[in-house]
Each structure stands twice: as structure tokens, then as C-alpha cells.
Amino acid sequence: MRIFQHSWRGGVDSDPSTQPTDAAIQLVLAFGDRAILANPDCFDSLKRLYEQAEILLCSTAGEISGTTVSENSVSITAIAFEKTTLRTTSARLSTLVDRHEAGRQIAQDLDQPGLSLVLVFADGQNVNGSELVAGLNSVLQGRAPVAGGLAGDGSQFTSTLVGLNALPAQDMVVAIGLYGADLEIGNGSQGGWEPFGPERTVTAAQGNVLLQLDGQSALSLYKHYLGDRAADLPGSGLLFPLAMKLPAGNSSTVRTLLAIDETAGSLIFAGDVPVGSHVRLMRASMDGLIDGANAAAAECNKVLQNQPQLAILVSCVGRKLLLNQRIEEEIEEVAHILGNAAICGFYSYGEIAPSHRDGSCELHNQTMTITTISER
């Protein structure tokens, strides 16, 4: 497997001499600023350079390339596999009201013999991530790992874009299937956040819209705990996610706030918050988040027999906001553990990674998720 990386800023490549004109390039991952990706010049440039490749474009809340975190750029990773084949598919959510159905259709398109990994990227504003992964799981049932994330838009929450071999758009889900017996895949996901305050019960909710906790307005309670930071909602909510335990289980999942509805007194999250779930607010220290990134990389190494060649990182925008000037430390921790692997990825509005319980895919929030890929 050969990997080429460069970046694109408003029509100027970071190092044109590194751009391969190699017909063997099969896959291009382009993670970047929404405004730059919306400019047709960006996709047109990539298409001219990689005429035979499948090109994935996804907007971000920050781009990861090597141990560098950037903004207002497009991070480009071009991959030439030696022993691996791939298949791509996409769905426009505006034509599929049921997000579960979108996930099911995508999984059916990719569920072919030899499937070793599914990478999935979706609109981060207009998708219920829980429904999407449920649809994927209904077909794949953990037979192959599924990883990826929800597109970002910085801390603006205006619109997010995803595209496959075309100018990226809203309401899109794109998936890439990798096939071959010589692929070695590693996965890891960790948070580093700690719960605080009393545990409360979800008493009214509709999908990913949380209406009441313990019979009280969810938004009013949330604002009470945030204090002065409530004036900066929904952005400040990224620093205070919810730890959620489902009614029929003890394992905890994190949910990140995407929006609020003042009229309804509700909170809108990236995934479902079922009635009967128990939730607590969370906060984090910088060192705790960096340690979480280290632990996620260590999880990948536990299952690998060979040195990883490529690592795709999807980390939450909330982590980026909290770490601020220390943001590259979590990437450096990953690089230290994974060795010489080429690193790419982005900061997201939600992370998709295999569950620690049974291997089926799961929507995560506020985590560092890592997928490593190598060919034997």
C-alpha cells in the first residue's frame, strides 16, 4: 500500500511536487473546511489529479494530517492498494425519510464476500446517527467493522457537506467498503470525560430530541448546570456532553449536543436519547482527553500483528474546543503509539466505531476513534 498526503488551500497546494499522477491511486480521502469544499475548484482539482480514483469529500471542524491539526484547509490522503479492492455507495437523506433505511441500503450495497471494513461519512446536521448505525447493523451484524463519522462545520453548526465523486452537498451519506484477505484492521475508541452531578432519568424524548429529565424541562435543567456558559449555547454544550446508560444495560454512551429549541425547551443530540435512560453531565480535563487518545491507539495495537500503514482518526469537536492550543498533543500521543503509520482524519460532530461489547458499529460522541489499515 502506498500513501500520498498533501493539503489544499484556496487553489494552492502545500507541496505540488508531492502530487502523484499515478493511475494506481484507488481512493482519495479529502477532509476539509466547508467553505473550501463548497468551491467547485477544489473537487475539480482533485478530479484532474486523481482521474481513476474514488474521491470522498467531508467537511470538518478541523483537519488532521500527520501530527498537525489545521483549519481553513483540505487535508488530502491518496491511497494505492496492492492487494485490496474497494466498492463505494451513497444515499441522499432528503429522499429517504427513514435514516435507518439509508443505513440498511448502504450496508446491502457493500455486503459482499471478502468485506473487511466499511468507512462511512454522513451529514452531521441532518442525520440521526443512532438510526443510521442501526440500519447498518441490521445487515452487517458485526461481520465487518464499521468506522467513520459525522461531518463538521467548525463550531458554527450551520451546514455540513459530504460528497462522493462529485461536489459535496448536504443530506448525504457516503460509504466505502474495503475487501481482501490481506487487510489487517485495527479499531480503538476512548473518551477521557468524567461524569458529575446527579443522575437523572429521561422522562420524555423523541428520537434524538430530549424533552424532559425527571419530569422537568431538559433545557432548563441543562442551563442551570451550565450557569454563565448557558448564554453561549449550543456551542458551549460541546464542553458538557451527557453520559447515557440505556434502560436495559449498564454500559455508558456519550451524547453531544447539536442544537436547542427554546420554544419546546428541548435539547437535540447527535443520537437517540431513549425514554428511561439514565444520564449525567460530563466534563473533562485536558490530561484526561490526551490519555484517552493514547488508550484508543493502544486498543488498535492489541489486535494487530503488523505495523499499521494508515490510521484514520475521527475525534470530536468538543475535544478540540477544550484542548485548544494543546490539541495536537492528542494526535502526537496516537502517533507515538502507532509508529510510522500515515495519519489522516478530522474533528467531527459524531464518531462511528465498533462497539466494545459485540463489534457492531455504534455512534460515539466526545471520543477519539482510530481505524488502522495495513496490507499483509
Side-chain angles (χ1 to χ4, degrees):
M1 182 164 61
R2 291 178 293 151
I3 301 165
F4 305 89
Q5 292 185 290
H6 56 106
S7 63
W8 200 87
R9 292 176 181 267
V12 180
D13 194 276
S14 61
D15 185 359
S17 66
T18 66
Q19 295 185 13
T21 56
D22 193 333
I25 297 293
Q26 296 150 282
L27 178 63
V28 175
L29 303 175
F31 303 124
D33 177 83
R34 173 178 59 86
I36 297 177
L37 289 183
N39 184 337
D41 289 347
C42 181
F43 173 71
D44 291 345
S45 174
L46 290 173
K47 189 61 181 175
R48 285 193 300 271
L49 187 60
Y50 304 109
E51 295 180 358
Q52 306 301 319
E54 302 281 356
I55 302 174
L56 174 282
L57 303 103
C58 179
S59 67
T60 80
E63 302 84 59
I64 300 169
S65 182
T67 56
T68 300
V69 177
S70 304
E71 295 179 346
N72 304 314
S73 68
V74 179
S75 169
I76 300 159
T77 300
I79 307 161
F81 294 102
E82 293 183 8
K83 306 174 183 179
T84 300
T85 59
L86 62 87
R87 182 185 180 99
T88 61
T89 186
S90 64
R92 183 174 290 277
L93 296 174
S94 58
T95 63
L96 289 167
V97 177
D98 187 347
R99 272 53 175 162
H100 183 284
E101 177 65 13
R104 189 188 67 81
Q105 288 189 15
I106 283 172
Q108 283 186 327
D109 287 346
L110 299 181
D111 190 18
Q112 304 291 330
L115 179 64
S116 295
L117 174 68
V118 174
L119 296 172
V120 60
F121 304 93
D123 186 318
Q125 287 286 93
N126 298 319
V127 64
N128 181 326
S130 295
E131 294 180 2
L132 178 66
V133 299
L136 291 163
N137 286 332
S138 70
V139 175
L140 298 175
Q141 299 179 352
R143 292 193 301 274
V146 179
L150 307 184
D153 180 26
S155 58
Q156 303 305 308
F157 292 94
T158 301
S159 65
T160 62
L161 306 176
V162 179
L164 176 66
N165 301 325
L167 195 65
Q170 297 182 60
D171 300 318
M172 291 295 297
V173 180
V174 170
I176 303 155
L178 299 182
Y179 304 80
D182 291 304
L183 275 170
E184 187 175 35
I185 308 298
N187 294 106
S189 61
Q190 290 289 334
W193 301 76
E194 295 293 335
F196 73 97
E199 184 175 86
R200 297 185 180 274
T201 302
V202 177
T203 49
Q206 296 176 353
N208 63 331
V209 180
L210 176 58
L211 297 165
Q212 292 184 0
L213 293 169
D214 292 341
Q216 303 177 60
S217 163
L219 179 58
S220 295
L221 274 175
Y222 196 75
K223 285 183 173 181
H224 171 74
Y225 282 104
L226 264 61
D228 293 342
R229 289 182 178 270
D232 298 322
L233 284 170
S236 60
L238 294 169
L239 305 177
F240 298 94
L242 290 184
M244 179 184 71
K245 289 191 293 187
L246 295 173
N250 294 319
S251 61
S252 182
T253 301
V254 182
R255 287 287 178 260
T256 290
L257 185 70
L258 292 182
I260 63 174
D261 186 331
E262 294 280 3
T263 302
S266 63
L267 305 169
I268 302 167
F269 290 91
D272 285 350
V273 188
V275 172
S277 299
H278 301 285
V279 301
R280 292 177 71 187
L281 277 173
M282 302 184 78
R283 59 190 171 196
S285 68
M286 293 187 183
D287 288 341
L289 296 185
I290 293 168
D291 289 344
N294 181 297
E299 284 183 1
C300 292
N301 273 352
K302 286 180 183 178
V303 301
L304 298 177
Q305 296 180 351
N306 301 294
Q307 182 76 23
Q309 294 169 290
L310 174 67
I312 302 173
L313 278 54
V314 182
S315 187
C316 184
V317 60
R319 301 170 66 90
K320 182 171 181 285
L321 293 176
L322 183 59
L323 287 169
N324 197 4
Q325 294 182 353
R326 295 183 62 186
I327 187 60
E328 290 182 348
E329 290 186 37
E330 75 166 357
I331 312 302
E332 290 166 356
E333 284 292 315
V334 172
H336 175 72
I337 298 295
L338 297 183
N340 294 323
I343 293 175
C344 69
F346 67 101
Y347 285 85
S348 73
Y349 285 178
E351 305 82 60
I352 297 172
S355 165
H356 292 116
R357 296 186 303 275
D358 58 11
S360 60
C361 71
E362 189 172 66
L363 175 70
H364 301 259
N365 289 130
Q366 303 291 359
T367 57
M368 163 65 81
T369 64
I370 305 170
T371 302
T372 60
I373 304 172
S374 59
E375 290 182 309
R376 298 182 181 92

